[in-house]
Amino acid sequence: MSQILTLGLPSGSLMESTIDLFDKAGFSISTSKRSYRPSVDDPELGLRLLRAQEISRYVEHGYLDAGLTGRDWVAENASDVHEIIELPFSKATARPTRWVLVVPEASEIHSVKDLEGKRVATEAVGLTRRFFEKAGVNVEIEFSWGATEVKVPDLVDAIVDITETGSSLRANKLRIVETLMESFPVLIVNKQAWADPVKRAKLENIALLLKGALNARDLVGLKMNLPEANLKNLLEALPALRNPTVSPLAQSGWVAVETIIEEKVVREIIPRLKALGAEGIIEYPLNKVVY
Amino acid sequence: MSQILTLGLPSGSLMESTIDLFDKAGFSISTSKRSYRPSVDDPELGLRLLRAQEISRYVEHGYLDAGLTGRDWVAENASDVHEIIELPFSKATARPTRWVLVVPEASEIHSVKDLEGKRVATEAVGLTRRFFEKAGVNVEIEFSWGATEVKVPDLVDAIVDITETGSSLRANKLRIVETLMESFPVLIVNKQAWADPVKRAKLENIALLLKGALNARDLVGLKMNLPEANLKNLLEALPALRNPTVSPLAQSGWVAVETIIEEKVVREIIPRLKALGAEGIIEYPLNKVVY
Amino acid sequence: MSQILTLGLPSGSLMESTIDLFDKAGFSISTSKRSYRPSVDDPELGLRLLRAQEISRYVEHGYLDAGLTGRDWVAENASDVHEIIELPFSKATARPTRWVLVVPEASEIHSVKDLEGKRVATEAVGLTRRFFEKAGVNVEIEFSWGATEVKVPDLVDAIVDITETGSSLRANKLRIVETLMESFPVLIVNKQAWADPVKRAKLENIALLLKGALNARDLVGLKMNLPEANLKNLLEALPALRNPTVSPLAQSGWVAVETIIEEKVVREIIPRLKALGAEGIIEYPLNKVVY
Amino acid sequence: MSQILTLGLPSGSLMESTIDLFDKAGFSISTSKRSYRPSVDDPELGLRLLRAQEISRYVEHGYLDAGLTGRDWVAENASDVHEIIELPFSKATARPTRWVLVVPEASEIHSVKDLEGKRVATEAVGLTRRFFEKAGVNVEIEFSWGATEVKVPDLVDAIVDITETGSSLRANKLRIVETLMESFPVLIVNKQAWADPVKRAKLENIALLLKGALNARDLVGLKMNLPEANLKNLLEALPALRNPTVSPLAQSGWVAVETIIEEKVVREIIPRLKALGAEGIIEYPLNKVVY
Amino acid sequence: MSQILTLGLPSGSLMESTIDLFDKAGFSISTSKRSYRPSVDDPELGLRLLRAQEISRYVEHGYLDAGLTGRDWVAENASDVHEIIELPFSKATARPTRWVLVVPEASEIHSVKDLEGKRVATEAVGLTRRFFEKAGVNVEIEFSWGATEVKVPDLVDAIVDITETGSSLRANKLRIVETLMESFPVLIVNKQAWADPVKRAKLENIALLLKGALNARDLVGLKMNLPEANLKNLLEALPALRNPTVSPLAQSGWVAVETIIEEKVVREIIPRLKALGAEGIIEYPLNKVVY
Amino acid sequence: MSQILTLGLPSGSLMESTIDLFDKAGFSISTSKRSYRPSVDDPELGLRLLRAQEISRYVEHGYLDAGLTGRDWVAENASDVHEIIELPFSKATARPTRWVLVVPEASEIHSVKDLEGKRVATEAVGLTRRFFEKAGVNVEIEFSWGATEVKVPDLVDAIVDITETGSSLRANKLRIVETLMESFPVLIVNKQAWADPVKRAKLENIALLLKGALNARDLVGLKMNLPEANLKNLLEALPALRNPTVSPLAQSGWVAVETIIEEKVVREIIPRLKALGAEGIIEYPLNKVVY
């Protein structure tokens, strides 16, 4: 079985969680230090570790078939690629990366128009240029090599930067003027590879398994025994228990009810299950859930 | 939905395991350094991190509705509060914290009476005073700021201190004269809050979930297939398999048996199950068990 | 219940994974630093931590009843013991320890015969001597206290050493001339203990549980719902789903299918299950699997 | 030579810097974990590690001859002891520990009088009681087991606590109403020990060496060569070079100048020395300076 | 005394060694996490931490008076600034950063001309463009966000990258075609600031002290006693002892000889000094040496 | 300059302190993981890292010219080599490694004779065999791969093992019957290399420098100013100030006194110097002292 697909993965802050997600999906990736070609236990896959910023460029130009990167960097590079699936990694919040136009709290700039003739620093020059062009505002945009948030107001008038939470903004006494874009990680592919049925089938399977592993992070299994007479009552009262598997038990008049449920609602559901006559309620962890 | 309950949690050595237990129960608590008000993903709860020594005092006086602390500190403060549930954290041993009256191995003190007119150091002055008053023995009790075990016989004649295992005693060449108290963590509430039906319902749910998470630590799920003919035999031979869920299988004459069982007896049970004709025995981990 | 069995466990590089395996099998072992007699929560067992090199010697001479060590060291010591079970620890590769005769890449030695009259260093003098005697080649064998691989060609002409992967060989620019032995960890017992029915029963139970825990490392549970009509089709198409447990569901025409499957084939199976009409596919982790 | 002196050292946050200072003074102290009697390479000294809070109590009562603790805890315990020397540890700031009466920024309390009838939490109940008695203000004072700063305004109206810098106050949004006391570490001795000429001589030597080590932390040695003709000029221009050591050199007309000088002025001095004709200027570190 | 100078320091891999060098020079810099304005114990200095890549741009445009950065990034930005002093940080090797044009070992490219029409990735687009323009070779230059060395030959034909040692090149199986530039850290200033006598004097003092600290890293002090009669002999035999300080000693016929000497020759010198009759030879560390 | 000498250094517990000592002596050794040939900044030296147990064997047979190892392993191997210098590494105690014959505290064995016909485990089979042969006692000696101290009385009757302090013995409830040998690290050379004048000169220089570095660990420099009138007085009172360097100072009637002195007596000396009129006393660290 020979290699079918080259796939770019992000080497920076997303690398650990990407490898972890692939592991949960059933693909064991091992990287050595400075490794550009991590090995994976699937001979059909050829992996490349690259900066998230560059992956869409190399996918578009055909150096890679597909890649996992942020939707923001696809936009920054204006890459003409197909997006297969969105993969919201962050379990707790499931919040996207936000690109925002930011000024000092005390600045007199309150709208995009106020930036006419001013200087803006950003790591995403493309995104920023298109944003201001669309707004019809002339600004001087300079590329920032990093630590962008410290440059206002000393070196520039405003910045366009990522903010995941508001805490970093507050710590730097900054204020958001406008949001340019919200972005989740995405699995992308170029047009030729997507048109190839073998590559497409392989990518669809990978997407199915990644999604199955992502689903399982927020879900748990729930099992209980119930007097059959209470079943209808319980299902009406608890719509969160959608499509439970109901099995007859050897003990007459009782059924076993089993379902998959969001972990965060379990603490609401269990007391109500108990009140509705359920016994032997157990919750157990999951590796994958494919609907 | 507005806040219903303020709840004090212990900030010291119990903090990590308390947060871990709440997490297993379905409440995600996040603390920053020196945080007094940790955040929790339940808007009905207001948490406060305080020394275990002080929690019952603030619960009793109504500054907090409820709290999780050691039963020993409730007693030390002689706090008039209601105890909802006992929560034995320690998995391996499930042994309580013990407060003991301790002297050097070589000391001539062998009973409480021998301490008449002597000096005793302790972090629990209240507990200790009441103990000696009840025994009718006059001693000089001094508050110890910590490292109490090193003070005998150099600075005092005896100490009253915590001992979880005997190893620390042996290392310091100390001998136990008498045990004053044994203590587990408890969930406590003041009288007014317990009389309020909304607060009481919330606390009973929390207690149910904490207990469910604690249960799961010592339990595992066990599943097997069995010729139906052997079922009665097996259930008589293995009373540990109380209330198993028995389901018919598609293969005629066979049933699936599933139960929840203490992890520590599995090693006794599995060889016997196999001897009684069970096949495909599997053991799997649990998150919560609510009977 | 008094002690039945003394059991030697390896104190070196295998210690952590041995203790971990026993824990999964249901025996909780706790070691303090430099501990020779680790404690275990089974009063019938007396454990001893010893170098893997020495365990078979002490088992054979009756100082221990049984032990867990490498088959290589049993051979090195030429110990007359009974091997109960082989326990391949290493999850990812399941490859054995290999003892190889090694020379520098550039050496003129290409076969065992070429070593006539040369010098060989090794930690396994017994194994090596018997190997060369059988080959009818005279060599000077010297005991190496460690770091054997650095000694060629500076201090000796060849070495006999362990290699788990080829990477260490390549790093030291060495070449394998011949493999002397491949070895997995084994559970061994002396003849007298194996003849004692009480000790033998105890050891067979331990072997059953250790094997159950080892099995579970590579396996996962898989559950799904299926239209009953598709069941035959599915079982024919996917022989990996051997002996699934099939239960009727309350919803007419549907069955629940549950099976134990190798984790590494899940990524192939799930897309095909979905194509065959399975719904609500979940994968969950296992602690033990006893067939 | 038998033991002359028992000396209490603080076991908490001051321990590391105390041991470091003694090390620089020439006394090598080694502590094991939980050690109450650290060993020291001077058989005349018997050391005890105790909480800073308790040391003055045990010194006063004669359980220890002398001790190193904070002047604040001497005052808290109202201990009748002799203070031999003040030892300002903190190099950079040389600022004392401050005990302050603190309220929330937004509190209506602006003077000590405003606390009439209110509740105050503190670790220093003695200090606080005497302060309010002197001010003629009635307050309810409760002992705080720690993390005192989080208790206002939720649990008490004000606190009396330590503040080394203002940053912790700002982080907790607190405001200082008044300073009760400023405190440096001090070396203390009881009256009887101070009256004993052998103990007193020993303590005076220790004090001299500790002071010598403290001095050296801010000073460096400075050496240079100079044309003898420029010497008068240089000494007039740089009064910081007080009492330099001037030695004749073999090269006629040149002298060697060597002095001890505050480290923080060196960067000003060196450029000027060079301008005045000095050559081969060197700076070197010092361990002790005894004037 | 008010602020005289704003000074940019590199925030990346050079930060630690820069702060260390300033510390040895007498300026104590303290940085908190993400700090853009580190504090320094000299009120005349205002520091800014910025990427080395950007510092010369901000110095040239007057946002900063001066800065410490690599000479390579001054060239990349083609910044019109004055270079005050070169500061070779690396003690052991004192080798410069090298920017090299690199291809795979097996590539058919052997000279710059061979790159006509090819693709080159680099972090220094300016340097690279000017290099190829000067060579009269047309190439497509793309900006690389990092990990440039892994991109050949997969994604580009050649790269222009930094190499401090050859080991990284060999590890990636790369070959140098040509060196574009060698670069040391430099202290730079803009034209206006250099024309201001107060700023210039301040910068010259800083340069003197930084150079003094750098000098001391390779030197030690050496002192010994010598019979006066042997002095001439010794000085002729050991020219490394240039300009020794010779002082008369109280003991007639003996002199003290003291000198500053390169650390790396001391091990050669000491045996010879002893052979020449020197006694009590000592070596001591230095913090600064200003000639 | 080509290589003169191959030198074996110990790779085990002595490695770090050996490299540290060579560093202080002026030889910078750098080791990578598993390195057999560490690099050193002296092209005349070829280093090899080997087990201390094996070094004397390879020196004796000429595979190495010289080596640093324990005198105990030279004896164990009965190697015929020349010992150049003894190097007592351990600063605090300067105590040698001791090989002792050890039995359980409760054993009935009290003299060597009592071991007739018993079993002894040891890592030093050669030393032990010769010891018992000399004593005329027959014992069965078995090679121990490590953790020898845990084997009595369970597996053998006595052990011969290293003890640096008595604490390990007490922890294992063991008792010393007799001391076989005391051992310090030594620098050894084989007979042919020692007869070669170039190798011998090189080794004598290395020995001189190693000894110089060892000397300096216990010594410091001491300098002070003194009224010339007090000089005679001071020198008579403080014989520890042997051979001080006395220089005239510019200030009439004063001299500078400088000397090298044992660090451990400084704290005694300084108070007395001050009492005798010394001013500006300083102590400074030393890297090497060669008498």
Side-chain angles (χ1 to χ4, degrees), chain F residues 33-52:
Chain F
K33 225 177 69 179
R34 293 185 154 253
S35 166
Y36 164 62
R37 296 170 184 267
S39 64
V40 59
D41 61 349
D42 181 345
E44 296 182 345
L45 289 182
L47 302 186
R48 301 291 182 274
L49 278 175
L50 290 161
R51 296 288 166 111

Side-chain angles (χ1 to χ4, degrees), chain B residues 44-258:
Chain B
E44 296 182 346
L45 288 182
L47 301 185
R48 302 289 181 276
L49 279 174
L50 289 161
R51 297 288 166 109
Q53 291 95 327
E54 303 178 329
I55 286 175
S56 74
R57 202 169 70 191
Y58 291 121
V59 170
E60 181 187 16
H61 296 161
Y63 293 99
L64 303 169
D65 291 314
L68 197 152
T69 184
R71 191 181 281 149
D72 45 1
W73 294 112
V74 180
E76 164 69 12
N77 296 322
S79 299
D80 183 22
V81 295
H82 176 72
E83 183 183 313
I84 303 172
I85 194 174
E86 184 182 85
L87 295 162
F89 277 18
S90 169
K91 181 183 180 182
T93 66
R95 266 187 290 187
T97 300
R98 273 211 301 160
W99 285 88
V100 286
L101 175 64
V102 167
V103 296
E105 275 177 9
S107 166
E108 299 198 344
I109 295 163
H110 291 281
S111 73
V112 177
K113 295 289 179 203
D114 297 344
L115 276 160
E116 180 71 32
K118 305 286 188 182
R119 287 157 47 84
V120 178
T122 184
E123 283 187 81
V125 168
L127 268 185
T128 303
R129 180 176 301 125
R130 283 190 290 277
F131 171 78
F132 280 104
E133 282 170 6
K134 199 171 159 194
V137 175
N138 291 305
V139 296
E140 186 184 339
I141 299 170
E142 74 178 36
F143 175 62
S144 170
W145 291 80
T148 313
E149 73 281 4
V150 303
K151 294 184 179 169
V152 276
D154 207 20
L155 304 175
V156 293
D157 301 294
I159 61 169
V160 169
D161 205 1
I162 289 173
T163 180
E164 293 196 40
T165 71
S167 64
S168 170
L169 284 175
R170 278 189 297 275
N172 287 291
K173 306 214 172 209
L174 300 176
R175 170 165 48 80
I176 294 177
V177 175
E178 199 154 324
T179 297
L180 281 73
M181 172 171 204
E182 296 195 341
S183 169
F184 278 114
V186 288
L187 183 65
I188 57 170
V189 58
N190 63 41
K191 302 292 170 72
Q192 309 90 287
W194 195 238
D196 173 336
V198 176
K199 293 186 177 185
R200 181 165 177 164
K202 183 76 187 175
L203 279 163
E204 283 175 338
N205 279 355
I206 291 170
L208 182 75
L209 292 162
L210 291 173
K211 195 72 186 173
L214 260 188
N215 288 338
R217 294 207 300 199
D218 298 327
L219 299 171
V220 291
L222 206 62
K223 267 190 245 191
M224 73 212 74
N225 295 340
L226 193 73
E228 199 166 9
N230 299 20
L231 182 60
K232 184 156 167 285
N233 217 15
L234 179 138
L235 295 182
E236 281 171 6
L238 294 175
L241 301 179
R242 52 184 176 190
N243 300 326
T245 300
V246 179
S247 331
L249 290 181
Q251 188 182 354
S252 172
W254 283 75
V255 289
V257 178
E258 180 161 9

Side-chain angles (χ1 to χ4, degrees), chain F residues 58-194:
Chain F
Y58 291 121
V59 170
E60 182 187 14
H61 296 161
Y63 292 99
L64 302 170
D65 291 313
L68 196 151
T69 184
R71 191 182 281 148
D72 44 3
W73 294 112
V74 181
E76 164 68 12
N77 295 323
S79 300
D80 183 20
V81 294
H82 175 73
E83 182 183 313
I84 304 173
I85 194 174
E86 183 181 87
L87 295 162
F89 277 18
S90 168
K91 182 184 178 180
T93 66
R95 267 188 289 188
T97 300
R98 275 211 298 161
W99 285 87
V100 286
L101 175 64
V102 167
V103 295
E105 275 176 10
S107 167
E108 299 198 345
I109 294 162
H110 292 281
S111 72
V112 177
K113 296 288 178 205
D114 296 344
L115 277 160
E116 180 70 34
K118 304 287 187 180
R119 286 158 47 83
V120 178
T122 183
E123 282 186 80
V125 168
L127 267 185
T128 303
R129 181 176 302 122
R130 283 190 291 278
F131 170 80
F132 280 103
E133 282 170 7
K134 199 172 157 194
V137 175
N138 290 306
V139 296
E140 185 184 338
I141 299 171
E142 74 178 36
F143 175 61
S144 170
W145 291 80
T148 314
E149 72 280 5
V150 302
K151 294 182 180 170
V152 275
D154 209 19
L155 305 175
V156 292
D157 302 294
I159 61 170
V160 169
D161 205 0
I162 288 174
T163 179
E164 291 197 41
T165 70
S167 64
S168 171
L169 285 175
R170 279 188 297 274
N172 287 292
K173 305 212 173 208
L174 301 175
R175 173 165 45 81
I176 294 176
V177 174
E178 199 155 323
T179 297
L180 282 73
M181 170 169 206
E182 295 194 341
S183 169
F184 278 112
V186 287
L187 183 65
I188 56 171
V189 57
N190 63 40
K191 301 294 170 72
Q192 310 90 286
W194 196 237

Side-chain angles (χ1 to χ4, degrees), chain D residues 1 3 6 13 30 79 103 105 125-126 133 185 192 194 229 239 245 259 265 270 275 284:
Chain D
M1 191 162 49
Q3 186 175 309
T6 56
S13 57
S30 54
S79 300
V103 295
E105 275 177 10
V125 169
E133 281 170 7
Q192 309 92 285
W194 196 237
T245 300
T259 193
V265 304
I270 283 183
Y284 59 93

Side-chain angles (χ1 to χ4, degrees), chain D residues 132-206:
Chain D
F132 279 104
E133 281 170 7
K134 198 171 157 192
V137 175
N138 291 306
V139 297
E140 187 184 339
I141 299 171
E142 74 177 37
F143 176 61
S144 171
W145 291 80
T148 313
E149 72 282 4
V150 302
K151 294 184 178 168
V152 276
D154 209 18
L155 305 175
V156 292
D157 302 294
I159 60 170
V160 169
D161 206 0
I162 289 174
T163 179
E164 291 196 40
T165 70
S167 63
S168 170
L169 286 175
R170 279 189 297 274
N172 287 291
K173 306 212 174 208
L174 300 175
R175 173 166 45 82
I176 294 176
V177 175
E178 200 155 324
T179 297
L180 282 73
M181 171 168 205
E182 295 195 342
S183 168
F184 278 112
V186 286
L187 184 64
I188 57 170
V189 59
N190 64 40
K191 301 295 169 71
Q192 309 92 285
W194 196 237
D196 173 337
V198 175
K199 292 188 176 184
R200 182 166 179 165
K202 182 77 187 176
L203 279 163
E204 283 175 339
N205 278 356
I206 291 170

